[in-house]
Amino acid sequence: MATSDRTDERLFARCLAGVAVVTLYRVAMLPLARADLYTDDSQYWLWSRHLDWGYYSKPPLIAWIVHLSTALGGSDDPFWIRLPFPLIHAVTAVLVALIARRLYGARIGGIAGFAYVGLPAVAVASFSLSTDTPMLCCFALALLAYLHLTEKSSVGWAVTLGAAIGVGMLAKYAMIYFPISAALAAILLPSARIAWRDVLIAAVPALVILAPNVAWNAGNGFATLHHTADNTRLEQGAALEPLELIDFWAGQFLIPGPIFFAAYLIGLRGVRRDRRTAFLALMSLPTLAIVSVQALLAGAQTNWAAAGHLAALVLGVAVVAAHRRWLIAALAINLAITAGLPV
């Protein structure tokens, strides 16, 4: 192994250690939190006391997570209700590191993983209950599995891909952006295609895992799907809302921090020159484009495009990592938010 490779591997390990440190800090701050459960948090906790395959406004995974945590802790204290969420983000950070490492090497991989755990949106979501948290973890696992399958056919990775999509759909229906993006990538980018055998294998666990929730919806008038449709407000009639679109895009700079998102947008210029850039663009832009249309027609919440930010972050880090001062500034801004938010 060359000296530069050893240096990059050490940086990768240190960045993962940084993920652990940030996560331990968040967990240590949880018992000191004075804020009561938010409205959504309380709703998810109430669901956790009556387990089912679906609920009025969301799929069931978040209720199952809270149920497991409070059962293990033997308490309904807010600490045990919130505890899984910073831990899930830590897992997602490791998956992001592995994705970026596979595409760009150990140095970019380590930085990307550490950058993820310090994102402003992650800092907020680590102290509240959000369906985005487990969905993003599943999205990252699906993305890693898909990358492996583009290189070599594998039953194991195909099953992992399907399971990640299925569980992700039980977390939040926005997981549907993954197969949409992957299909577009396969159509437009030869290097992003996987074997049909792997597609069919992946479909089996995805459908098996999702089937009980579909059955629950069918038995309850498709309540969750109707609620999701109601949130779009499109049934009330669409009208062009350019200010809503501007507001939505302004919010996208807040999710990963302004420097990383700006770097992502700059990095998109390389889609024709670099297959990695093209792949990450196709795994992020469809989500941003779809929600942008929603924002223009009827408004959209900032986090509705969260699924597109994993690939966007990897590309943004790859761009910023070549500029040391900007990288330090991006990490410093986000870590200041991470450290200050719990206080």
Side-chain angles (χ1 to χ4, degrees):
M1 183 183 292
T3 302
S4 60
D5 292 337
R6 287 196 294 269
T7 301
D8 289 348
E9 290 296 335
R10 285 197 294 270
L11 177 62
F12 185 84
R14 289 170 182 168
C15 286
L16 293 189
V19 170
V21 169
V22 171
T23 303
L24 288 173
Y25 169 73
R26 286 172 174 158
V27 171
M29 294 299 289
L30 282 178
L32 306 179
R34 295 182 179 180
D36 291 331
L37 297 178
Y38 304 113
T39 303
D40 285 353
D41 298 354
S42 299
Q43 177 178 245
Y44 301 149
W45 168 77
L46 182 62
W47 291 350
S48 76
R49 299 172 66 84
H50 307 279
L51 295 185
D52 209 335
W53 279 103
Y55 299 94
Y56 167 65
S57 63
K58 294 290 190 299
L61 186 59
I62 193 165
W64 299 353
I65 291 170
V66 173
H67 177 87
L68 178 61
S69 179
T70 53
L72 290 174
S75 170
D76 287 318
D77 184 86
F79 171 81
W80 289 103
I81 293 172
R82 291 173 171 143
L83 177 61
F85 296 89
L87 301 180
I88 293 171
H89 278 302
V91 174
T92 308
V94 174
L95 292 171
V96 168
L98 294 175
I99 291 166
R101 177 177 181 161
R102 197 150 200 92
L103 289 170
Y104 294 103
R107 177 174 177 269
I108 303 299
I111 295 171
F114 185 62
Y116 174 85
V117 83
L119 299 186
V122 171
V124 173
S126 292
F127 291 92
S128 60
L129 280 60
S130 170
T131 53
D132 283 323
T133 299
M135 185 274 292
L136 287 174
C137 188
C138 293
F139 200 102
L141 180 58
L143 188 54
L144 180 63
Y146 193 86
L147 274 175
H148 278 275
L149 291 171
T150 61
E151 298 170 5
K152 183 181 179 181
S153 180
S154 165
V155 173
W157 281 114
V159 171
T160 300
L161 172 62
I165 293 173
V167 175
M169 288 290 288
L170 292 183
K172 188 174 184 179
Y173 293 144
M175 187 70 195
I176 194 64
Y177 291 129
F178 183 90
I180 291 173
S181 300
L184 285 173
I187 292 170
L188 299 174
L189 195 62
S191 62
R193 293 168 187 164
I194 67 175
W196 277 108
R197 185 200 73 160
D198 292 332
V199 174
L200 295 175
I201 291 173
V204 174
L207 294 174
V208 168
I209 291 171
L210 185 58
N213 178 249
V214 174
W216 181 91
N217 267 284
N220 288 273
F222 292 97
T224 313
L225 296 179
H226 282 304
H227 175 79
T228 303
D230 289 342
N231 276 346
T232 68
R233 294 187 292 165
L234 292 175
E235 293 181 354
Q236 302 172 17
L240 295 182
E241 300 281 355
L243 292 180
E244 291 285 351
L245 180 61
I246 293 171
D247 182 65
F248 167 74
W249 272 91
Q252 300 317 295
F253 284 85
L254 300 178
I255 289 178
I259 295 178
F260 282 130
F261 194 71
Y264 160 70
L265 296 177
I266 293 170
L268 291 175
R269 297 181 303 177
V271 292
R272 294 186 178 181
R273 300 190 304 271
D274 189 304
R275 65 174 182 82
R276 298 170 299 183
T277 300
F279 176 73
L280 293 171
L282 288 166
M283 295 305 299
S284 55
L285 282 177
T287 303
L288 290 165
I290 292 170
V291 184
S292 291
V293 172
Q294 161 67 36
L296 180 62
L297 296 179
Q301 298 295 325
T302 298
N303 70 308
W304 287 3
H309 278 273
L310 291 179
L313 175 65
V314 173
L315 178 54
V317 168
V319 172
V320 174
H323 307 277
R324 188 169 182 271
R325 290 183 179 178
W326 283 109
L327 175 62
I328 292 174
L331 293 174
I333 291 171
N334 289 356
L335 288 175
I337 295 172
T338 293
L341 185 66
V343 178

